[in-house]
Amino acid sequence: MKTRRSFIRPSGFRDASIIGIACEGDVTEYRYFEEFKERYTEFPSRIHIELIKRQEATQSAPEYVIASIDAFKKSKAGPDDEFWAVIDYDRWGDKKMSEIIQQAFQKGYHVAVSRPCFEAWLLLHWIQKSDITEAMLLDFNKKSCKEIASEIRKIQGHYKKDLNDVVEYVERAEIAIENARSLDVNPVDRWPRTFGSRVYQICERIRKE
């Protein structure tokens, strides 16, 4: 078992660069990233993965995700830190996405949008790349977040928002990363235009460090 230490950044002393992650959801995403950072980071390290919780748990709209990063950055961040907002597409649509991402980019934040939602990222852990067909993607493009969760249950056998089986997902993270990258055919777009997830970019960033 890894030995962890608290991340402390006294004034005037740089302990390590931060990769800060703030999420629209308040359970599933954080459970996943907590396990992912445990699996892929070691101490001592030149980076620290900080999971930034929203100031008010009931405020889940994207602007509150951005606001939570603002608050953290104001109190604890250094000049070399980077921040990611993890946002779902399904509830907001193109107009809202455009506004939020423009706001984030102006602040220097990265945005990882999942379409329709974070469950798309989770589903990609359970699909082999060779099984991804055009017909499958056309079908997934029509599905709601609830229906994507049902797809996870069909393949994995179960799925709950608390992600109490998170270890099983993180063990298959390489599969999800490869799948998501292959689906991201227009990475210059600010968010996926079809079923997919940019969460793979955060995971690749953590693994790189």
Side-chain angles (χ1 to χ4, degrees):
M1 184 176 179
K2 296 178 182 178
T3 300
R4 294 292 173 186
R5 60 174 171 78
S6 299
F7 179 76
I8 301 173
R9 179 178 281 172
S11 178
F13 176 74
R14 293 203 49 81
D15 191 353
S17 295
I18 289 174
I19 296 179
I21 304 171
C23 306
E24 188 176 334
D26 61 352
V27 177
T28 314
E29 293 94 323
Y30 288 104
R31 179 69 61 85
Y32 183 90
F33 286 119
E34 183 66 41
E35 181 63 27
F36 192 90
K37 77 171 185 175
E38 289 292 316
R39 178 66 60 92
Y40 283 99
T41 61
E42 295 281 355
F43 288 116
S45 173
R46 65 191 186 91
I47 65 162
H48 170 75
I49 311 302
E50 180 73 25
L51 302 182
I52 304 169
K53 293 296 186 74
R54 295 193 309 275
Q55 293 176 305
E56 295 291 338
T58 58
Q59 297 176 331
S60 62
E63 53 263 38
Y64 295 117
V65 178
I66 301 300
S68 67
I69 298 176
D70 291 342
F72 178 89
K73 186 177 181 181
K74 185 182 296 185
S75 63
K76 298 181 181 179
D80 299 325
D81 299 337
E82 67 179 74
F83 298 94
W84 289 81
V86 179
I87 296 172
D88 294 343
Y89 175 88
D90 63 341
R91 294 170 56 195
W92 313 114
D94 287 353
K95 185 176 185 298
K96 184 75 167 183
M97 282 292 100
S98 181
E99 293 172 355
I100 291 299
I101 292 176
Q102 181 64 28
Q103 178 184 350
F105 282 8
Q106 288 174 348
K107 295 172 181 287
Y109 305 158
H110 304 276
V111 181
V113 177
S114 296
R115 185 166 184 161
C117 56
F118 191 75
E119 278 74 8
W121 168 247
L122 298 178
L123 177 57
L124 290 172
H125 289 68
W126 303 101
I127 302 173
Q128 295 299 324
K129 186 177 180 180
S130 59
D131 294 332
I132 298 176
T133 63
E134 184 174 348
M136 175 187 285
L137 293 177
L138 286 172
D139 182 39
F140 287 171
N141 285 336
K142 301 173 185 176
K143 292 185 181 298
S144 66
C145 187
K146 185 176 181 180
E147 290 170 326
I148 293 297
S150 294
E151 290 293 328
I152 298 175
R153 293 187 185 98
K154 287 179 185 178
I155 298 173
Q156 190 200 15
H158 54 90
Y159 171 69
K160 291 184 177 180
K161 295 287 286 185
D162 63 7
L163 216 63
N164 57 9
D165 55 348
V166 64
V167 172
E168 297 178 30
Y169 285 87
V170 175
E171 287 176 346
R172 300 173 64 88
E174 301 289 343
I175 295 172
I177 291 170
E178 183 177 356
N179 284 336
R181 190 191 306 115
S182 69
L183 294 177
D184 197 9
V185 294
N186 292 306
V188 295
D189 287 345
R190 290 188 169 187
W191 65 86
R193 301 298 174 170
T194 57
F195 172 83
S197 175
R198 293 275 173 82
V199 171
Y200 80 92
Q201 295 179 341
I202 303 177
C203 295
E204 287 187 323
R205 182 72 180 89
I206 293 172
R207 291 194 313 166
K208 178 181 177 181
E209 295 294 346

